[in-house]
């Protein structure tokens, strides 16, 4: 069998991107220097990345990327970057002599499966963690900054960034971005794809800087003494990619109400199609509000927020009796429900925050929603399947797909009664190509099938591993990793971690995050024999 | 004035016949036989030749001509004729086209193709059909700004809900301006407190939809509501425009087209129309979709005979009124005699439009009210205009009584003019002007 895919060309471009990964790696190195921590994890990884990247690059001095090579390149880029990104975690957990670093408790990232999980979770902006303990006692500020930075790099997309800066990707750039960018198809904003990629990254960078400045402003004004410069930067870096890694063990619950209110609009913005921001900035702000997906996106979140805040306000959102599995303590439940029930602002804030965090797949927590009642949790599980907008940094199925599915189902009902009627499905007034609708059906069906299969497998593995998982917990874990949301329920809840899962389950979830981020098809396609054959 | 008409087909000869009594008419056609016919039947000079050739045009005396009308059956020929004429003379050029894309190009830039006035057969035919369907209560209806603005004149009947009502109370429409009230032959500019009396004629300017809504208020018995069921049979260009214009007036028509590709294409372009892919003579289908319950069927298929068949079939299954497009002029009377309620002949409509326009004889888009009492005109505002860059309230004060700004379109979007609306250069403004002050006002706009 002779292969038709020019895998050397793909690997060569993966190498180019890998080489450039050395640049962002310098940032946590500087952070480590500033705080007087060990720089070994980065000092080792940076040359390693450059050598590995340059080596791969030499496989094909003049790579020619076509559709098939594009899929392979995008898929492998994310896999390779995740593997290399795990190296600093491994180095930090192992081989640092006590003379260089103060003695720390043994890090859970010493296990390669854990390190890779954390790295993949970062780059895919999932935000699911396997850190045993989230604190600066257990981990250096440098390594934590790397963890947050991986999310920022993964959010708008490594390949999009590569298209923006690598001239050799200008020809196939649109194809590559399409394979990576969330949602069906991409929107070219300018005639040159590199410029489009730069515009998207520019908006992304702008929002990140703005959020960091606003959050740090709270610290300077004395409103939130916990929102230090490090925390402000860290949270801006993980909000905009809808990531959700927080250096605080209690996530956003560790901050003031003001900080939570500031983060909400930034999460919303992160779930909006970034092309809309470009239109707004280049003199067509009306387009934002006329956009069908934007309206549905805001509408869905408003409806869910109203429902959830009603549950919380009335107290129906909290469990009547504390379950015996010990995943949260009764004192905490009493404390939070005491603050929220019957209070408008906290009920609204936590409902809005949690709905936005889950719908946009950011995955932050302003409260331990593990302590909520089953109906409230199911509401959040349902929200995990909605996702952000196409062209945003959000994961999951995406609002626009649901919109098209609902419209085309309505069309089916209509044509059942009127068989001769010709009804194109319209999106913002424009008729959609039937092939695009079929693609959306295929994606969504595949997504749900993978979700159910994953739920089954994780459940079985839990039984094998001696874990006591409820069905809701398993479903949440599968939905959360596949949709790049982050937290689930139970042990994997917002204040917990995925550490308890077996290595096999973790490796499986690494796969889920990977195909979830790339929206399944670009990854699945090169697992089929037809792809490789002539 | 010497008028040169290129193309002695049905449209050309009809215009020639109408203009011959007041103007010096020269007709050019490539068909020698037709030319001979023309020379004998009308008081015009007919020349055999190619109307796109400079030599032929010069032979027809285009140098001294005041107007050249290109009315052949071929769009491109007509455009080339006008372009050629503009290159060699100063004559006012009028072109007839079928393709609405050319019309759109021309509406965007009146410099396009060297054409001073363009009439689109398909669109005009569709407009006249929709006028029959949509505004039977109106005495006069004229489209402006490419159909985005409409002027209509209504007579207020004794029992009309708006009679003995003040203008302020009658004006419940967002995109509508009361331009004038014609009472006993005098023009009155309405104020909020003006009371509309029976037998007044009210001139309104606004979007087609708001004019339609107003029509229903003025004459609820006469004007069909948008609940009226209209079925368009045949997705021809005319059929398409009928459905599109009905949509603009707030109707939700149904359209039947047999060709799957064309049906899909139409369905994409017509969001508020239910497009059905079927043969309109399939009685089982007609029954299943209750086409017989429709209030009106428009037969817009490509062949006259099929349109007749569809109309008769529709009448048979219970449709109240049928309108058919009839290409052959000589069939119109026959078809109306055997059962079609209204026959519309696109060529006749175009010939009428061109004749009307040449009679009114202006370069601007103008409509005359009551033949000469007032005019409604459309202007493109330039920097020199008194309207440019200031509020309407301010500019109206500097103009004599009798001027009303009826509608504004900016970048093809409709803007309802109010006192504080600022008019910008490049806007298209539709104004009502009392004939008494027209000559004083027009140059300052």
């Amino acid at each position: 069998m002779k292969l038709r895919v020019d895998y050397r060309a793909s690997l060569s471009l993966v190498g180019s991107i890998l080489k450039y990964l050395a640049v962002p790696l310098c940032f946590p190195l500087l952070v480590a220097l500033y705080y007087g921590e060990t720089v070994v994890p980065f000092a080792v990884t940076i040359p390693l990345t450059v050598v590995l990247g340059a080596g791969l690059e030499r496989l094909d001095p003049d790579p020619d990327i076509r559709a098939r090579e594009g899929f392979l390149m995008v898929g492998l880029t994310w896999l390779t970057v995740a593997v290399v990104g795990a190296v600093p975690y491994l180095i930090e957990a192992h081989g640092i002599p006590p003379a260089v670093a103060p003695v720390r408790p043994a890090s859970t990232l010493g296990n390669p499966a854990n390190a890779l999980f954390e790295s993949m979770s970062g780059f895919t902006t999932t935000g699911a963690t396997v850190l045993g303990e989230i604190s600066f006692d257990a981990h250096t500020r440098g390594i934590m900054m790397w963890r947050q930075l991986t999310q920022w790099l993964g959010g708008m997309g490594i390949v999009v960034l590569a298209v923006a800066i690598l001239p050799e990707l200008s020809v196939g750039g649109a194809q590559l971005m399409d394979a990576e960018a969330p949602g069906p198809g991409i929107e070219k904003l300018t005639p040159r794809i590199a410029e489009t990629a730069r515009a998207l990254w520019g908006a992304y960078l702008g929002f990140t800087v703005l959020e960091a400045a606003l959050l740090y402003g709270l610290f300077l004004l004395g409103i939130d003494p916990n929102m230090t410069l490090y925390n402000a930067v860290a949270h801006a870096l993980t909000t905009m990619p809808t990531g959700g890694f927080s250096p605080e063990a209690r996530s956003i619950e560790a901050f003031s109400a003001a900080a939570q209110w500031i983060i909400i609009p930034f999460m919303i913005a992160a779930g909006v199609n970034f092309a809309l921001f470009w239109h707004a900035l280049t003199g067509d702000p009306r387009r934002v509000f006329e956009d069908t997906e934007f309206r549905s996106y805001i509408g869905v979140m408003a409806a869910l927020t109203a429902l959830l805040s009603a549950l919380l306000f009335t107290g129906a959102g909290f469990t009547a009796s504390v379950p015996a599995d010990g995943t949260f303590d009764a004192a905490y439940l009493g404390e939070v429900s005491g603050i929220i029930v019957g209070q408008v602002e906290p009920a609204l804030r936590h409902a809005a925050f949690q709905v936005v965090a889950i719908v946009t797949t950011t995955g932050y927590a302003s409260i331990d929603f593990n302590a909520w009642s089953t109906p409230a949790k199911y509401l959040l599980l349902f929200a995990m399947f909605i996702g952000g907008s196409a062209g945003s940094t959000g994961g999951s199925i995406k609002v626009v797909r649901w919109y098209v599915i609902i419209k085309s189902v309505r069309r089916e009902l209509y044509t059942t009664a009127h068989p001769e009627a010709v009804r194109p499905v319209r999106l913002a007034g424009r008729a959609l190509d039937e092939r695009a609708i079929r693609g959306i059906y295929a994606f969504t069906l595949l997504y749900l099938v993978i979700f159910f299969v994953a739920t089954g497998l994780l459940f079985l593995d839990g039984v094998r591993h001696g874990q006591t998982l409820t069905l809701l917990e398993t479903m949440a874990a599968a939905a959360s990793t596949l949709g790049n949301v982050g937290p689930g329920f139970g042990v994997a809840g917002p204040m917990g971690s995925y550490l308890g899962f077996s290595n096999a389950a973790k490796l499986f979830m690494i796969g889920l995050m990977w195909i979830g981020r790339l929206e399944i098809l670009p990854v699945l396609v090169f697992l089929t024999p037809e792809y490789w054959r002539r | 004035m010497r008028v040169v008409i290129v193309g002695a087909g049905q449209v050309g000869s009809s215009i020639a016949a109408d203009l011959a009594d007041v103007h010096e008419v020269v007709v050019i056609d490539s068909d020698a036989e037709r030319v001979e016919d023309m020379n004998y039947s009308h008081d015009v000079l007919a020349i055999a030749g190619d109307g796109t050739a400079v030599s032929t045009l010069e032979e027809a005396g285009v140098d001294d001509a005041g107007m050249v009308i290109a009315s052949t059956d071929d769009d491109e020929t007509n455009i080339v004729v006008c372009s050629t004429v503009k290159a060699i003379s100063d004559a006012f050029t009028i072109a007839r086209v079928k393709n609405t894309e050319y019309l759109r190009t021309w509406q965007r830039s009146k410099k396009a193709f060297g054409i001073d006035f363009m009439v689109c057969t398909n669109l005009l035919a569709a407009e006249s059909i929709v006028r029959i369907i949509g505004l039977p209560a109106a005495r006069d209806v004229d489209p402006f700004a490419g159909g985005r603005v409409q002027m209509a004149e209504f007579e207020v009947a004794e029992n009309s809900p708006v009679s003995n009502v003040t203008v302020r109370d009658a004006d419940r429409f967002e995109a509508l301006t009361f331009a004038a009230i014609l009472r006993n032959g005098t023009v009155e500019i309405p104020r909020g407190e003006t009371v509309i009396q029976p037998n007044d004629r009210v001139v309104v300017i606004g979007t087609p939809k708001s004019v339609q809504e107003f029509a229903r208020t003025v004459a609820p018995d006469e004007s069909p509501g948008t609940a009226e069921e209209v079925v368009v049979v045949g997705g021809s260009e005319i059929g398409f425009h009928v459905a599109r214009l009905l949509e603009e007036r707030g109707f939700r028509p149904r359209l039947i087209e047999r060709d799957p590709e064309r049906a899909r294409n139409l369905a994409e372009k017509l969001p508020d129309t239910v497009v059905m892919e079927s043969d309109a003579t399939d009685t089982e289908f007609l029954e299943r979709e209750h086409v017989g319950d429709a209030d009106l069927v428009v037969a817009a298929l490509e062949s006259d005979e099929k349109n007749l068949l569809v109309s008769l079939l529709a009448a048979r299954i219970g449709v109240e009124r049928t309108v058919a497009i009839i290409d052959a002029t000589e069939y119109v009377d026959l078809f109306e005699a055997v059962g079609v309620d209204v026959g519309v002949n696109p060529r006749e409509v175009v010939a009428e439009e061109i004749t009307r326009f040449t009679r009114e004889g202006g370069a601007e888009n103008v409509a005359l009210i009551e033949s000469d009492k007032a005019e409604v005109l459309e202007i493109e505002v330039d920097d020199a205009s008194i309207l440019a860059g200031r509020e309407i309230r301010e500019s109206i004060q500097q103009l004599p009584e009798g001027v009303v700004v009826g509608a504004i379109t900016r970048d093809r979007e409709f803007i309802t003019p109010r006192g504080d609306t600022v008019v910008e250069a490049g806007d298209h403004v539709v104004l009502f002007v009392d004939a008494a002050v027209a000559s004083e006002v027009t140059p300052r706009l």
Side-chain angles (χ1 to χ4, degrees):
Chain A
M1 186 178 79
K2 197 161 180 259
L3 297 180
R4 202 187 146 184
V5 183
D6 185 2
Y7 67 93
R8 282 164 175 271
S10 308
L11 282 173
S12 159
L13 280 168
V14 172
S16 305
I17 292 175
L18 206 55
K19 212 172 59 179
Y20 282 99
L21 193 65
V23 179
L25 271 163
C26 292
F27 182 61
L29 182 122
L30 293 174
V31 171
L33 274 177
Y34 177 82
Y35 288 102
E37 297 165 344
T38 172
V39 295
V40 176
F42 308 106
V44 173
T45 314
I46 290 170
L48 181 86
T49 316
V50 175
V51 169
L52 191 65
L56 282 174
E57 214 177 6
R58 291 182 59 169
L59 277 176
D60 187 344
D62 185 18
D64 182 15
I65 287 279
R66 277 158 295 145
R68 292 195 189 191
E69 286 76 24
F71 286 125
L72 188 61
M73 180 218 146
V74 172
L76 285 182
T77 298
W78 286 79
L79 201 57
T80 319
V81 164
V83 170
V84 173
V87 174
Y89 298 139
L90 281 170
I91 297 175
E92 198 227 17
H94 292 288
I96 299 174
V100 182
V103 182
R104 293 172 185 279
S107 168
T108 51
L109 295 179
N111 174 352
N114 286 349
L116 185 61
F117 186 98
E118 198 74 6
S119 178
M120 185 61 96
S121 171
F123 279 108
T124 58
T125 76
T126 307
T129 186
V130 285
L131 288 187
E133 186 188 345
I134 300 176
S135 74
F136 295 131
D137 295 332
H139 304 279
T140 63
R141 286 180 165 78
I143 210 79
M144 291 296 266
M145 189 51 83
W146 172 239
R147 181 172 171 261
Q148 286 124 32
L149 192 64
T150 55
Q151 293 207 319
W152 194 71
L153 291 171
M156 190 44 80
I158 296 164
V159 175
V160 177
L161 186 57
V163 171
I165 55 176
L166 297 181
E168 59 260 46
L169 291 182
S170 58
V171 178
Q175 175 90 41
L176 298 176
M177 274 170 68
D178 190 24
E180 181 191 83
I186 58 158
E187 189 178 343
K188 272 200 181 188
L189 303 173
T190 56
R192 290 194 189 282
I193 192 72
E195 251 172 68
T196 298
R198 277 195 285 269
L200 294 175
W201 264 90
Y204 184 55
L205 182 67
F207 272 115
T208 310
V209 171
L210 180 67
E211 188 190 353
L214 287 177
L215 289 177
Y216 190 50
L218 290 180
F219 176 81
L220 294 179
L221 292 170
I223 296 168
D224 197 335
N226 197 18
M227 192 51 90
T228 56
L229 182 60
Y230 184 95
N231 267 338
V233 171
H235 288 92
L237 284 179
T238 52
T239 308
M240 286 322 291
T242 67
F245 273 160
S246 169
E248 292 289 341
R250 300 213 60 83
S251 190
I252 310 301
E253 197 187 20
F255 299 103
S256 63
Q260 295 176 0
W261 277 120
I262 287 182
I263 290 172
I264 291 174
F266 281 97
M267 288 195 287
I268 294 175
V272 172
N273 186 345
F274 272 69
L276 288 181
F277 295 129
W278 189 84
H279 290 304
L281 290 173
T282 52
D284 199 0
R286 258 189 309 176
R287 250 182 99 158
V288 177
F289 300 99
E290 283 168 5
D291 188 76
T292 315
E293 184 178 24
F294 179 77
R295 287 174 164 193
S296 325
Y297 166 72
I298 298 294
V300 161
M301 287 195 296
L304 290 179
T305 301
L307 202 60
L308 190 55
S309 49
L311 286 178
L312 296 185
F313 183 79
T314 56
F318 296 95
T319 2
S321 60
V322 180
D325 65 359
T327 46
F328 56 89
D329 57 276
Y332 175 79
L333 176 63
E335 190 191 319
V336 292
S337 60
I339 300 168
I340 295 171
V341 175
Q343 304 286 321
V344 175
E345 194 271 342
L348 190 64
R349 169 158 48 90
H350 290 299
F353 192 99
Q354 235 39 82
V355 164
V356 170
I358 298 293
V359 170
T360 62
T361 74
T362 310
Y364 279 148
S366 64
I367 184 173
D368 188 356
F369 53 74
N370 242 342
W372 291 359
S373 64
T374 312
K377 281 193 205 172
Y378 268 107
L379 196 105
L380 290 185
L381 179 68
F382 168 73
M384 282 184 188
F385 289 92
I386 300 171
S389 310
S392 74
T393 65
S396 197
I397 291 176
K398 310 278 171 321
V399 176
V400 67
R401 291 204 176 90
W402 287 121
Y403 183 83
V404 170
I405 288 170
I406 291 167
K407 290 264 280 194
S408 69
V409 166
R410 269 174 39 193
R411 187 250 307 261
E412 287 312 312
L413 294 178
Y414 188 90
T415 47
T416 306
H418 306 273
E420 288 87 1
V422 183
R423 303 220 114 186
V425 174
R426 272 166 217 285
L427 186 62
R430 190 169 293 175
L432 276 180
D433 191 57
E434 295 301 322
R435 238 183 336 178
I437 299 171
R438 222 180 315 147
I440 286 170
Y441 270 127
F443 170 83
T444 312
L445 187 65
L446 208 51
Y447 190 96
L448 294 176
V449 166
I450 291 174
F451 161 72
F452 283 117
V453 171
T455 304
L457 290 178
L458 288 177
F459 193 79
L460 286 179
D461 188 73
V463 174
R464 179 191 71 90
H465 187 59
Q467 240 177 329
T468 47
L469 289 169
T470 65
L471 189 59
L472 176 65
E473 282 167 16
T474 330
M475 274 164 49
S480 189
T481 46
L482 181 61
N484 301 141
V485 180
F489 302 122
V491 284
M495 308 304 166
S497 84
Y498 285 73
L499 192 58
F501 284 92
S502 72
N503 279 346
K506 280 176 203 155
L507 286 173
F508 180 64
M509 287 195 271
I510 288 169
L512 288 183
M513 292 191 265
W514 183 38
I515 63 170
R517 174 60 181 81
L518 296 178
E519 304 212 312
I520 304 175
L521 295 170
V523 178
L524 280 198
V525 74
F526 68 80
L527 300 181
T528 60
E530 290 79 9
Y531 170 82
W532 295 96
R533 260 187 236 129
R534 230 170 230 291
Chain B
M1 175 169 68
R2 172 168 289 217
V3 177
V4 177
I5 298 171
V6 179
Q10 197 193 318
V11 176
S13 44
S14 163
I15 299 168
D18 275 331
L19 297 183
D21 50 340
V22 272
H23 295 294
E24 198 180 305
V25 176
V26 184
V27 179
I28 302 173
D29 201 293
S30 51
D31 184 340
E33 213 171 303
R34 255 196 233 164
V35 168
E36 204 173 298
D37 267 3
M38 205 71 196
N39 268 327
Y40 287 107
S41 56
H42 298 289
D43 185 17
V44 300
L45 169 65
I47 301 171
D50 177 1
T52 61
V54 172
S55 55
T56 319
L57 288 169
E58 277 174 345
E59 194 189 334
V62 83
D63 293 341
D64 313 323
M67 187 180 286
V68 175
I69 300 167
S71 65
T72 70
D73 258 343
D74 185 65
D75 286 2
E76 287 76 12
T77 304
N78 292 340
I79 288 168
V80 172
V81 166
C82 288
S83 211
T84 312
V85 168
K86 262 290 165 272
I88 59 170
S89 89
D90 298 325
F92 189 86
T93 51
I94 299 177
R96 162 200 173 197
V97 293
K98 295 195 196 99
N99 189 339
T100 40
E101 285 306 320
Y102 292 138
L103 182 74
R104 217 163 295 154
T105 308
W106 179 75
Q107 276 166 347
R108 252 193 95 96
S109 160
K110 300 263 160 128
K111 293 193 286 286
F113 316 126
I115 293 170
D116 295 309
F117 185 63
M118 190 183 255
V119 282
C120 179
T121 317
N122 291 330
L123 192 59
L124 277 178
E127 277 170 357
S128 66
I129 290 170
V130 171
R131 217 169 296 157
I132 292 164
I133 303 169
L135 294 170
R139 296 289 162 264
D140 188 10
V141 185
D142 277 292
F144 288 91
R148 274 174 282 276
V149 178
Q150 218 172 38
M151 184 280 290
E153 190 187 324
F154 294 95
E155 190 171 306
V156 179
E158 198 92 40
N159 58 356
S160 166
V162 298
S163 73
N164 299 314
V165 166
T166 63
V167 166
R168 187 174 295 115
D169 291 336
D171 186 6
R172 282 176 283 112
F173 309 95
E174 179 55 31
L176 194 78
T177 305
F178 279 71
I181 292 176
L182 307 173
R183 185 174 297 158
N184 307 327
T186 60
V187 176
E188 198 170 315
I189 304 299
R191 308 261 170 260
E193 59 274 13
T194 310
V195 177
I196 301 169
Q197 293 170 7
N199 302 322
D200 279 1
R201 291 192 167 208
V202 180
V203 178
V204 293
I205 299 171
T207 58
K209 193 174 176 180
S210 60
V211 170
Q212 163 77 29
E213 281 167 8
F214 181 68
R216 276 202 295 284
T217 313
V218 175
D221 310 331
E222 242 179 301
S223 300
T226 47
E228 200 90 344
E229 272 222 55
V230 182
V231 177
V232 181
V233 178
S236 59
E237 272 303 296
I238 297 179
F240 161 67
H241 284 295
V242 168
R244 184 179 66 82
L245 293 169
L246 284 173
E247 280 187 359
E248 269 180 25
R249 278 158 187 71
F251 286 83
R252 300 181 71 89
R254 282 188 283 172
L255 191 152
I256 302 167
E257 164 64 42
R258 201 165 69 170
D259 178 52
E261 213 169 301
R262 175 77 183 159
R264 164 81 195 183
N265 199 311
L266 288 168
E268 286 180 9
K269 287 198 269 190
L270 297 166
D272 294 329
T273 301
V274 176
V275 177
M276 327 278 293
E277 182 204 315
S278 175
D279 191 324
T281 53
D282 175 352
T283 41
E284 199 184 313
F285 158 76
L286 295 176
E287 228 164 89
R288 188 167 60 238
E289 288 298 332
H290 299 279
V291 172
D293 297 344
D295 300 288
L296 193 121
V297 163
V298 178
L301 294 161
E302 303 281 4
S303 116
D304 288 356
E305 291 78 6
K306 280 186 188 157
N307 282 339
L308 175 65
L309 186 66
V310 165
S311 304
L312 295 179
L313 194 59
R316 200 187 156 83
I317 59 173
V319 175
E320 281 170 35
R321 224 159 136 226
T322 55
V323 178
I325 290 159
I326 305 167
D327 233 19
T329 322
E330 58 273 24
Y331 283 174
V332 175
D333 290 339
L334 176 66
F335 282 17
E336 285 184 349
V338 297
V340 174
D341 290 313
V342 183
V344 173
N345 179 289
R347 287 198 180 85
E348 207 171 294
V349 173
V350 162
E352 269 169 26
E353 172 77 7
I354 292 176
T355 310
R356 192 177 72 88
F357 183 79
T358 52
R359 283 272 162 91
E360 284 166 8
E364 308 280 359
N365 197 354
V366 183
L368 296 185
I369 307 279
E370 304 273 291
S371 72
D372 62 346
K373 293 229 164 44
E375 55 193 47
V376 174
L377 45 109
E378 178 185 347
I379 57 158
E380 189 177 331
V381 174
D382 57 22
D383 290 317
S385 167
I386 191 164
L387 298 171
R390 57 176 82 185
E391 290 186 357
I392 289 174
R393 188 180 296 121
E394 202 181 315
S395 35
I396 286 295
Q397 270 167 7
Q398 298 181 19
L399 289 167
E401 183 104 335
V403 180
V404 178
V405 175
I408 302 170
T409 58
R410 183 175 300 160
D411 297 330
R412 297 155 159 261
E413 294 234 18
F414 185 90
I415 297 170
T416 310
R418 294 288 175 248
D420 56 356
T421 309
V422 177
V423 179
E424 292 171 13
D427 288 359
H428 280 249
V429 175
V430 179
L431 297 123
F432 175 91
V433 182
D434 192 336
V437 296
S439 56
E440 183 191 340
V441 170
T442 317
R444 297 169 68 184
L445 296 172

